[in-house]
Amino acid sequence: MKTYKDALEYGKQRLLECEIEDANLDAWLLLEYVSGISRSWYFIHENEEISEDDIEEYQILIEQRGKHIPLQQLTKEAYFYGMKFFVNENVLIPRQDTEVLVEQVLSLSKGKENLKLLDMCTGSGCILLALLANLKQASGTGVDLSEKALEVAQRNGEELGIEVSWVQSDLFDKVSGSYDIIVSNPPYIETSVIEGLMDEVKLYEPRMALDGTEDGLFFYREITMQAGKYLKNNGILAFEIGYNQGKAVSEFMKENGYEEVQVLQDLAGLDRVVTGRIEKEEQHV
């Protein structure tokens, strides 16, 4: 293996042997990551020699990807809503489907300024940071039980130059204040389903961020019951949900006094987001 072309062919073949779904793309992305080259550069220089150091690092990463370690955990970066985020094994990798939640919250926030946002189960912080980057003079608080997840979120906030208050808390235990919007992408996969997920998810993403207990709905119940205490009058509660949870989560919200409850679909036409507004006569903190 001497040239860039040799390295790429090796990577593709090895990942195919390991039954990696996007073997060709991942082989290229890891080569790009290791050597810093672009596609246009590669097509002109594919027969040039690649350095021994780059070959060694590339082989190591290909073997790790072959074990189904997610690509984003190997490169330590993921893109979400047009922004680059640092990720590692302590947080869920941001998904494109979650952008539907960001879009809907931004839509509900049109014409409003100085909003106060709270992101429950913030993980990498990608939802809250994407919202704050697109809302005028908004402020935000990100909450997570995992100290290591919050370290990732804090790093992302610093690298993006967005000021956020990060709180380690078991749901609302250590939360104070009142907010215009509470957003959450909580753990929502049924415990029994997790073992059937692809290896990249079940083996390498944090179980704590996946497991929504027996029926997958535990966190929706808890957050919906408590969120009203922390929302201002006409405050918005917005969830990402699993494809089969729209009806149940909508009912939880209606039972807890939320109005204008709506379910929105992702690009695949699957239920992905539930939002509702709460009207209250008195403010409780």
Side-chain angles (χ1 to χ4, degrees), residues 80-92:
F80 179 78
Y81 213 71
M83 302 162 68
K84 185 169 80 171
F85 291 88
F86 170 79
V87 295
N88 61 21
E89 70 279 2
N90 298 309
V91 296
L92 285 185

Side-chain angles (χ1 to χ4, degrees), residues 14 29 38 55 78 81 100 113 119 131 134 147 186 203 219:
R14 187 73 187 100
L29 290 172
S38 65
I55 288 175
Y81 213 71
V100 178
E113 295 187 6
D119 180 13
L131 288 169
N134 288 277
E147 182 179 2
L203 297 181
F219 292 96

Side-chain angles (χ1 to χ4, degrees), residues 1 6-16 23 27 58 62:
M1 193 193 315
D6 293 338
L8 183 58
E9 288 306 313
Y10 157 79
K12 289 178 179 179
Q13 188 57 40
R14 187 73 187 100
L15 294 185
L16 283 170
Y58 186 61
I62 287 292

Side-chain angles (χ1 to χ4, degrees), residues 115-159:
L115 294 172
K116 287 185 65 178
L117 282 67
L118 184 139
D119 180 13
M120 182 58 68
C121 308
T122 194
S124 66
C126 66
I127 295 171
L128 181 59
L129 292 166
L131 288 169
L132 293 176
N134 288 277
L135 290 172
K136 290 183 179 180
Q137 300 173 330
S139 61
T141 298
V143 180
D144 207 289
L145 180 58
S146 168
E147 182 179 2
K148 290 184 176 180
L150 287 174
E151 289 172 2
V152 172
Q154 183 170 3
R155 174 171 173 171
N156 281 320
E158 290 170 355
E159 291 184 355

